[in-house]
mmCIF file of all heavy atoms in Angstrom:
data_model
loop_
_atom_site.group_PDB
_atom_site.id
_atom_site.type_symbol
_atom_site.label_atom_id
_atom_site.label_comp_id
_atom_site.label_asym_id
_atom_site.label_seq_id
_atom_site.Cartn_x
_atom_site.Cartn_y
_atom_site.Cartn_z
ATOM 1 N N SER L 625 104.461 115.494 81.489
ATOM 2 C CA SER L 625 104.710 116.267 80.272
ATOM 3 C C SER L 625 104.209 117.695 80.409
ATOM 4 O O SER L 625 104.893 118.649 79.999
ATOM 5 C CB SER L 625 104.029 115.589 79.075
ATOM 6 O OG SER L 625 104.586 114.314 78.840
ATOM 7 N N HIS L 639 110.320 113.908 85.811
ATOM 8 C CA HIS L 639 109.870 112.563 86.192
ATOM 9 C C HIS L 639 110.585 112.092 87.458
ATOM 10 O O HIS L 639 109.965 111.563 88.393
ATOM 11 C CB HIS L 639 110.125 111.595 85.045
ATOM 12 C CG HIS L 639 109.573 110.230 85.277
ATOM 13 N ND1 HIS L 639 110.312 109.219 85.868
ATOM 14 C CD2 HIS L 639 108.362 109.698 85.005
ATOM 15 C CE1 HIS L 639 109.588 108.130 85.954
ATOM 16 N NE2 HIS L 639 108.386 108.389 85.431
ATOM 17 N N ILE L 642 109.403 114.191 90.536
ATOM 18 C CA ILE L 642 108.040 113.829 90.938
ATOM 19 C C ILE L 642 108.027 112.498 91.669
ATOM 20 O O ILE L 642 107.347 112.333 92.690
ATOM 21 C CB ILE L 642 107.121 113.803 89.704
ATOM 22 C CG1 ILE L 642 106.783 115.232 89.286
ATOM 23 C CG2 ILE L 642 105.842 113.016 89.994
ATOM 24 C CD1 ILE L 642 105.921 115.329 88.057
ATOM 25 N N ALA L 646 106.714 112.132 95.404
ATOM 26 C CA ALA L 646 105.591 111.227 95.667
ATOM 27 C C ALA L 646 105.973 110.156 96.683
ATOM 28 O O ALA L 646 105.144 109.751 97.514
ATOM 29 C CB ALA L 646 105.123 110.585 94.359
ATOM 30 N N HIS L 677 97.923 127.256 116.783
ATOM 31 C CA HIS L 677 96.481 127.331 116.588
ATOM 32 C C HIS L 677 95.834 125.965 116.767
ATOM 33 O O HIS L 677 94.832 125.818 117.471
ATOM 34 C CB HIS L 677 96.160 127.853 115.182
ATOM 35 C CG HIS L 677 96.610 129.252 114.940
ATOM 36 N ND1 HIS L 677 96.702 129.787 113.687
ATOM 37 C CD2 HIS L 677 96.996 130.222 115.789
ATOM 38 C CE1 HIS L 677 97.108 131.054 113.774
ATOM 39 N NE2 HIS L 677 97.310 131.325 115.036
ATOM 40 N N GLU L 686 87.627 118.334 120.563
ATOM 41 C CA GLU L 686 87.516 116.997 121.142
ATOM 42 C C GLU L 686 86.377 116.963 122.153
ATOM 43 O O GLU L 686 85.578 116.020 122.189
ATOM 44 C CB GLU L 686 88.831 116.589 121.807
ATOM 45 C CG GLU L 686 90.017 116.438 120.871
ATOM 46 C CD GLU L 686 90.035 115.101 120.153
ATOM 47 O OE1 GLU L 686 89.148 114.275 120.422
ATOM 48 O OE2 GLU L 686 90.945 114.891 119.315
ATOM 49 N N THR L 687 86.298 117.985 122.982
ATOM 50 C CA THR L 687 85.226 118.058 123.978
ATOM 51 C C THR L 687 83.866 118.206 123.307
ATOM 52 O O THR L 687 82.887 117.556 123.700
ATOM 53 C CB THR L 687 85.465 119.236 124.941
ATOM 54 O OG1 THR L 687 86.710 119.036 125.624
ATOM 55 C CG2 THR L 687 84.344 119.343 125.957
ATOM 56 N N PRO L 701 91.918 127.349 105.834
ATOM 57 C CA PRO L 701 92.028 127.772 104.431
ATOM 58 C C PRO L 701 93.465 127.601 103.975
ATOM 59 O O PRO L 701 94.396 128.026 104.667
ATOM 60 C CB PRO L 701 91.606 129.247 104.479
ATOM 61 C CG PRO L 701 91.817 129.669 105.900
ATOM 62 C CD PRO L 701 91.607 128.460 106.738
ATOM 63 N N ILE L 753 83.493 133.308 94.838
ATOM 64 C CA ILE L 753 82.301 132.666 94.284
ATOM 65 C C ILE L 753 82.369 132.627 92.760
ATOM 66 O O ILE L 753 82.041 131.617 92.135
ATOM 67 C CB ILE L 753 81.028 133.408 94.760
ATOM 68 C CG1 ILE L 753 80.854 133.218 96.270
ATOM 69 C CG2 ILE L 753 79.799 132.887 94.019
ATOM 70 C CD1 ILE L 753 79.785 134.101 96.882
ATOM 71 N N ILE L 766 72.875 125.132 97.053
ATOM 72 C CA ILE L 766 72.553 126.504 96.692
ATOM 73 C C ILE L 766 73.438 126.893 95.508
ATOM 74 O O ILE L 766 74.656 126.978 95.639
ATOM 75 C CB ILE L 766 72.786 127.458 97.868
ATOM 76 C CG1 ILE L 766 71.910 127.056 99.049
ATOM 77 C CG2 ILE L 766 72.493 128.901 97.457
ATOM 78 C CD1 ILE L 766 72.206 127.830 100.316
ATOM 79 N N THR L 767 72.834 127.112 94.376
ATOM 80 C CA THR L 767 73.593 127.414 93.151
ATOM 81 C C THR L 767 73.402 128.850 92.672
ATOM 82 O O THR L 767 74.120 129.295 91.766
ATOM 83 C CB THR L 767 73.192 126.447 92.029
ATOM 84 O OG1 THR L 767 71.773 126.547 91.807
ATOM 85 C CG2 THR L 767 73.529 125.006 92.408
ATOM 86 N N GLU L 768 72.444 129.572 93.236
ATOM 87 C CA GLU L 768 72.206 130.968 92.860
ATOM 88 C C GLU L 768 73.022 131.899 93.754
ATOM 89 O O GLU L 768 72.963 131.800 94.981
ATOM 90 C CB GLU L 768 70.724 131.311 92.981
ATOM 91 C CG GLU L 768 69.834 130.590 91.987
ATOM 92 C CD GLU L 768 70.140 130.998 90.556
ATOM 93 O OE1 GLU L 768 70.528 132.175 90.356
ATOM 94 O OE2 GLU L 768 70.001 130.158 89.658
ATOM 95 N N ALA L 774 72.751 135.813 100.525
ATOM 96 C CA ALA L 774 71.765 136.035 101.582
ATOM 97 C C ALA L 774 72.030 135.105 102.766
ATOM 98 O O ALA L 774 71.879 135.505 103.932
ATOM 99 C CB ALA L 774 70.350 135.804 101.039
ATOM 100 N N SER L 781 75.156 136.802 111.385
ATOM 101 C CA SER L 781 74.322 137.207 112.511
ATOM 102 C C SER L 781 74.280 136.159 113.618
ATOM 103 O O SER L 781 74.193 136.504 114.796
ATOM 104 C CB SER L 781 72.896 137.512 112.036
ATOM 105 O OG SER L 781 72.248 136.315 111.590
ATOM 106 N N GLY L 794 72.318 113.244 102.237
ATOM 107 C CA GLY L 794 72.154 112.484 103.467
ATOM 108 C C GLY L 794 72.986 112.960 104.631
ATOM 109 O O GLY L 794 72.920 112.391 105.717
ATOM 110 N N ALA L 799 79.534 124.608 110.818
ATOM 111 C CA ALA L 799 80.909 125.112 110.846
ATOM 112 C C ALA L 799 80.923 126.505 111.457
ATOM 113 O O ALA L 799 79.984 127.285 111.273
ATOM 114 C CB ALA L 799 81.508 125.147 109.452
ATOM 115 N N ALA L 819 71.683 112.855 108.263
ATOM 116 C CA ALA L 819 70.517 113.710 108.440
ATOM 117 C C ALA L 819 69.670 113.262 109.623
ATOM 118 O O ALA L 819 69.104 114.098 110.337
ATOM 119 C CB ALA L 819 69.694 113.723 107.158
ATOM 120 N N GLN L 830 72.917 122.804 118.193
ATOM 121 C CA GLN L 830 74.297 122.355 118.025
ATOM 122 C C GLN L 830 75.150 123.429 117.346
ATOM 123 O O GLN L 830 76.334 123.587 117.652
ATOM 124 C CB GLN L 830 74.347 121.055 117.213
ATOM 125 C CG GLN L 830 73.701 119.858 117.898
ATOM 126 C CD GLN L 830 74.540 119.326 119.053
ATOM 127 O OE1 GLN L 830 75.402 120.008 119.585
ATOM 128 N NE2 GLN L 830 74.279 118.086 119.449
ATOM 129 N N LEU L 834 78.551 125.086 118.771
ATOM 130 C CA LEU L 834 79.803 125.127 118.007
ATOM 131 C C LEU L 834 80.309 126.562 117.874
ATOM 132 O O LEU L 834 81.516 126.818 117.950
ATOM 133 C CB LEU L 834 79.609 124.500 116.633
ATOM 134 C CG LEU L 834 80.874 124.288 115.801
ATOM 135 C CD1 LEU L 834 81.833 123.335 116.503
ATOM 136 C CD2 LEU L 834 80.529 123.745 114.419
ATOM 137 N N ARG L 849 86.708 138.536 116.915
ATOM 138 C CA ARG L 849 85.785 138.497 115.773
ATOM 139 C C ARG L 849 85.600 139.909 115.231
ATOM 140 O O ARG L 849 85.339 140.840 115.986
ATOM 141 C CB ARG L 849 84.437 137.925 116.222
ATOM 142 C CG ARG L 849 83.343 137.992 115.173
ATOM 143 C CD ARG L 849 82.091 137.309 115.694
ATOM 144 N NE ARG L 849 80.925 137.658 114.896
ATOM 145 C CZ ARG L 849 79.723 137.096 115.060
ATOM 146 N NH1 ARG L 849 79.550 136.182 115.988
ATOM 147 N NH2 ARG L 849 78.706 137.460 114.300
#
Side-chain angles (χ1 to χ4, degrees):
S625 297
H639 186 269
I642 284 178
H677 296 164
E686 295 279 358
T687 299
I753 293 170
I766 300 172
T767 57
E768 293 295 328
S781 68
Q830 295 287 20
L834 189 62
R849 173 176 164 173

